């Protein structure tokens, strides 16, 4: 379901709160330079009526973006990015893979992606939301299955006749760590070995013979004189 009209989203929100229906809400700001997606599980996370809509800081004066007679919301790239996040998270939720974002914002001007979980408002205007919250709080909390699934299973082979073992070939050299400045959450796929560990093989010109060795002609001469 996709709608840019707030009253439509409010109606869907009311219906979903009444039915206890999980849904994704998303939107792009009027200036078309920010947007968000939001997973709403009635009672567990904030509904559309729990709080005023969040605005991802654009970092510039919004007045400068508005132009008369131009529908800025038609800017397709921001919508494309937000729609991509929406579909990706819906797939993750439905097919049960990865980590589904509760709230993911997007600021196009600064490439800023705030992520958080919004708790429902106990004094929400929608009474069905408050009712779902009470039901959720009364439920015993399940062990987070996603956390268990996330743990990698250790592969154990009963037999290892040939003594094969996996060796980590990545060398975490001082060189790599000092030259590349990484931001939080980003790691290098592999590290490059320091240049002094590379051995250079020099080719010996084929015509030259080592001093200690005799040439073929010398050997032939020696053979004749015998
Ligand atoms: Zn609510």
């Amino acid at each position: 379901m996709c709608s840019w009209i707030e009253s439509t989203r409010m109606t869907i929100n009311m219906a979903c709160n009444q039915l206890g229906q999980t849904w994704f809400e998303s939107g792009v700001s009027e200036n078309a330079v920010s947007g968000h997606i939001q997973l709403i599980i009635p009672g567990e996370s904030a509904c559309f009526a729990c709080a005023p809509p969040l605005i991802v800081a654009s970092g510039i004066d919004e007045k400068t973006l508005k132009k008369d007679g131009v529908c800025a919301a038609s800017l397709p790239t921001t919508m494309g990015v937000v729609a991509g996040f929406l579909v990706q998270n819906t797939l993750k939720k439905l097919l049960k893979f990865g980590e589904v974002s509760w709230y993911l914002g997007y600021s196009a001007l600064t490439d800023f992606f705030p992520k958080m979980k919004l708790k429902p408002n106990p004094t929400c205007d929608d009474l069905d939301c408050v009712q779902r919250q009470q039901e959720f709080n009364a439920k015993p909390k399940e062990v987070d299955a996603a956390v268990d699934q996330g743990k990698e299973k250790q592969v154990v082979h009963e037999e290892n006749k040939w003594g094969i073992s996996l060796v980590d070939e990545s060398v975490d050299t001082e060189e790599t760590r000092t030259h590349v400045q990484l931001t939080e959450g980003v790691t290098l796929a592999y590290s490059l070995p320091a240049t002094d560990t590379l051995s250079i093989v020099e080719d010996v010109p084929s015509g030259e013979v080592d001093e200690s060795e005799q040439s073929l002609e010398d050997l032939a001469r020696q053979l004749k004189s015998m």
Side-chain angles (χ1 to χ4, degrees):
M1 179 74 196
C2 178
S3 170
W4 306 112
I5 305 160
E6 193 164 321
S7 59
T8 318
R9 279 190 270 178
M10 213 52 146
T11 309
I12 296 164
N13 186 60
M14 274 169 65
C16 289
N17 278 342
Q18 211 171 61
L19 300 166
Q21 175 66 51
T22 299
W23 67 297
F24 275 97
E25 181 272 318
S26 85
V28 169
S29 64
E30 205 184 326
N31 59 27
V33 288
S34 69
H36 74 275
I37 62 155
Q38 190 179 177
L39 170 62
I40 299 177
I41 302 179
E44 191 176 346
S45 61
C47 84
F48 194 62
C50 275
L54 293 169
I55 293 165
V56 182
S58 63
I60 59 154
D61 185 0
E62 300 199 353
K63 287 190 199 103
T64 61
L65 289 165
K66 288 184 183 172
K67 284 179 190 159
D68 286 337
V70 176
C71 179
S74 65
L75 194 71
T77 45
T78 306
M79 287 189 180
V81 171
V82 174
F85 280 138
L86 181 62
V87 175
Q88 188 80 298
N89 270 270
T90 307
L91 286 175
K92 287 198 281 183
K93 174 80 181 148
L94 295 174
L95 303 176
K96 298 180 172 59
F97 70 93
E99 192 186 294
V100 183
S101 287
W102 286 100
Y103 175 96
L104 180 62
Y106 170 53
S107 166
L109 300 178
T110 53
D111 278 346
F112 173 55
F113 302 86
K115 224 177 107 172
M116 66 187 120
K117 184 183 178 179
L118 297 164
K119 281 188 176 176
N121 179 2
T123 59
C124 180
D125 287 343
D126 190 325
L127 294 179
D128 285 314
C129 175
V130 179
Q131 178 69 31
R132 296 290 96 80
Q133 287 180 49
Q134 286 164 359
E135 288 166 11
F136 177 76
N137 293 333
K139 261 200 302 191
K141 297 286 167 283
E142 290 167 24
V143 180
D144 198 345
V147 175
D148 285 350
Q149 281 171 3
K151 283 179 194 161
E152 262 184 68
K153 276 190 184 169
Q154 197 87 36
V155 180
V156 181
H157 298 282
E158 285 175 12
E159 279 183 19
N160 190 4
K161 202 167 144 188
W162 309 104
I164 297 166
S165 63
L166 210 62
V167 178
D168 185 6
E169 288 187 343
S170 59
V171 188
D172 194 13
T173 58
E174 196 63 40
E175 181 118 340
T176 318
R177 266 181 271 137
T178 49
H179 280 101
V180 187
Q181 298 289 320
L182 297 173
T183 187
E184 201 186 323
V186 181
T187 53
L188 291 166
Y190 56 87
S191 52
L192 296 168
T195 43
D196 58 6
T197 61
L198 293 169
S199 56
I200 296 159
V201 180
E202 282 178 39
D203 281 348
V204 178
S206 53
E208 282 180 29
V209 178
D210 200 283
E211 281 174 20
S212 63
E213 286 174 34
Q214 289 169 306
S215 71
L216 204 64
E217 286 82 13
D218 290 338
L219 287 169
R221 239 178 280 125
Q222 276 180 17
L223 203 68
K224 273 181 192 168
S225 65
M226 276 169 83

